[in-house]
Amino acid sequence: MQFPFALAIIEDQATIRETLHEYLCAQPEFRCVLVAGSIEAFLELLPTAAVPPQLILSDIGLPGLTGTQGLPFILTRLPQAQVLMLSVYADAGRVFEALRAGAVGYLLKNTPLAQLKEHLLHAAAGGSPMSPGVAHYVVQAFAQMPATAPLNSGIALADLLPAEPLTNREREIVRGIEGGLSYKLIADRYCISIETVRNHIRAVYRKLQVNSKAELMAHALKRQRR
Amino acid sequence: MQFPFALAIIEDQATIRETLHEYLCAQPEFRCVLVAGSIEAFLELLPTAAVPPQLILSDIGLPGLTGTQGLPFILTRLPQAQVLMLSVYADAGRVFEALRAGAVGYLLKNTPLAQLKEHLLHAAAGGSPMSPGVAHYVVQAFAQMPATAPLNSGIALADLLPAEPLTNREREIVRGIEGGLSYKLIADRYCISIETVRNHIRAVYRKLQVNSKAELMAHALKRQRR
DNA sequence: TGAAAAACAACATGTTTATGCCATACCCCC
DNA sequence: GGGGGTATGGCATAAACATGTTGTTTTTCA
């Protein structure tokens, strides 16, 4: 993620929307790429955005699809987006629904603009900003939760090993893999036998220390994210 | 609650303990009523405190009882206290344990003193301060909680929108795939059978109109390129 | 209360991958 | 002229994946 963060705002009340827009876009950290009055409008305008938004600030009480109802649609289109919900309500039900639907944070509308900015930056940094009372609900709910299995993810492997360089042919074939092609299609594309593809892949796996197509692509994904 | 807040500090490392003590007690908002190097010492000294502490800042990595293990004892004696855990570790397991044991917040030891003070005030006000990454774990766990709301019950809007939204579970599993995991590993991570993983993947393929892991990942790669 | 959606699970069948081990051919270069 | 690296091709086997069908259970909602 790099400066300025591509930001989208979804809010139906024109005055609030304008206030948010004006304030946030005046900040050097943000770039407003999309401002909409409803989830439907947002999804419709999405293809026209110059840059896909990384940060989305969405009201919950929207006409049509509510912010929470719209979240799955947004996340399907922008899986990497951090969505912050904005609401006048601080009730546990709404908070839980929103977080379960995939929001990373939940802010109240009485949040001062300066703090809102801080929260947005916080979210961009991988945090989960919540207004005071809201965080409390979440922690409370936690205390009552049954013991769960740890669901970890942050795997940071030492891929800084001496990288054995791929040959040109190998890189071509890796591009094919990353394009989602099967061995057969790669073989066709380069007019070679599928056995040859296999052998190149084999060499690539050894050099990159992976042992499946999925790992190879996960590699590419990780590289891309910085 | 009124000023100044009665504060207790539990930390075994003398230098850190003194730093916290000196800084926080120099603040007009706090009054240090108890400083201890272990849970045991804290409980022993508790009767001697002039005022029962309302706010407790406790290390997790303590000799003897750990901070988390000691929490139930503390809360039995001081049911109204707000306990903030302090730790060098940001792993999900420790965070969950501490919150389930009744901590109201979880801070990392690299938190600047000024922020620490803010967090303490925040906790006193009924909030649940958490360091950035930590809050994220909690929200993640929420999104992955058992029994998810449908949230998108057969909305007729579906044919207007290009993308049929993925459910939370489906997105989780897609994250697994994009992380390079095999079905087996995904099944293990979420404690479900490999057949169930297959079924979710099947639904994802239908919704995203792909028909192989490679295409799915190629999709992710394309989205990521901007 | 009953239909719908979501998560979970099993079994079957065919395809694609991963990886072993092997061989030929070209090129460069010491 | 032989040794290393690269590209090509083949065969065999085991594992992983894709896909069809069919269930149960729980939660949600009209």
Side-chain angles (χ1 to χ4, degrees), chain A residues 182-183 198 202 205 211-213:
Chain A
S182 67
Y183 288 4
R198 264 194 239 286
R202 188 197 312 261
Y205 284 5
N211 46 34
S212 79
K213 220 167 160 176

Side-chain angles (χ1 to χ4, degrees), chain B residues 92-116:
Chain B
R94 260 175 259 247
V95 172
F96 297 163
E97 267 186 23
L99 294 181
R100 278 212 309 268
V104 301
Y106 191 110
L107 304 176
L108 298 182
K109 281 199 173 170
N110 60 14
T111 307
L113 286 172
Q115 267 185 39
L116 192 60

Side-chain angles (χ1 to χ4, degrees), chain A residues 182-220:
Chain A
S182 67
Y183 288 4
K184 176 90 189 69
L185 289 176
I186 293 174
D188 289 350
R189 166 178 295 192
Y190 296 110
C191 296
I192 55 180
S193 114
I194 195 171
E195 300 299 333
T196 302
V197 176
R198 264 194 239 286
N199 281 308
H200 284 302
I201 295 284
R202 188 197 312 261
V204 170
Y205 284 5
R206 181 182 50 73
K207 291 180 181 177
L208 299 187
Q209 316 227 325
V210 298
N211 46 34
S212 79
K213 220 167 160 176
E215 279 179 65
L216 178 62
M217 299 184 78
H219 236 246

Side-chain angles (χ1 to χ4, degrees), chain A residues 115-167:
Chain A
Q115 267 186 41
L116 191 60
K117 171 184 165 181
E118 288 309 312
H119 285 318
L120 279 166
L121 290 174
H122 188 165
S128 290
M130 281 177 275
S131 291
V134 174
H136 200 62
Y137 281 138
V138 174
V139 169
Q140 286 271 358
F142 234 85
Q144 292 161 15
M145 240 172 81
T148 30
L151 11 85
N152 225 331
S153 58
I155 304 164
L157 274 187
D159 290 317
L160 315 168
L161 310 171
E164 202 175 341
L166 301 187
T167 67

Side-chain angles (χ1 to χ4, degrees), chain B residues 168-220:
Chain B
N168 289 335
R169 200 49 157 175
E170 285 161 3
R171 267 195 302 276
E172 274 173 22
I173 286 172
V174 167
R175 276 199 291 277
I177 294 280
E178 289 175 3
L181 304 177
S182 67
Y183 288 4
K184 176 88 189 70
L185 288 176
I186 294 174
D188 289 349
R189 166 178 292 193
Y190 296 111
C191 296
I192 55 180
S193 107
I194 196 171
E195 300 298 333
T196 302
V197 176
R198 262 194 241 289
N199 282 308
H200 285 301
I201 295 281
R202 188 195 313 260
V204 171
Y205 283 6
R206 182 182 51 72
K207 290 179 181 178
L208 300 186
Q209 316 228 320
V210 299
N211 49 34
S212 77
K213 220 168 160 176
E215 279 180 65
L216 178 63
M217 299 185 77
H219 237 246

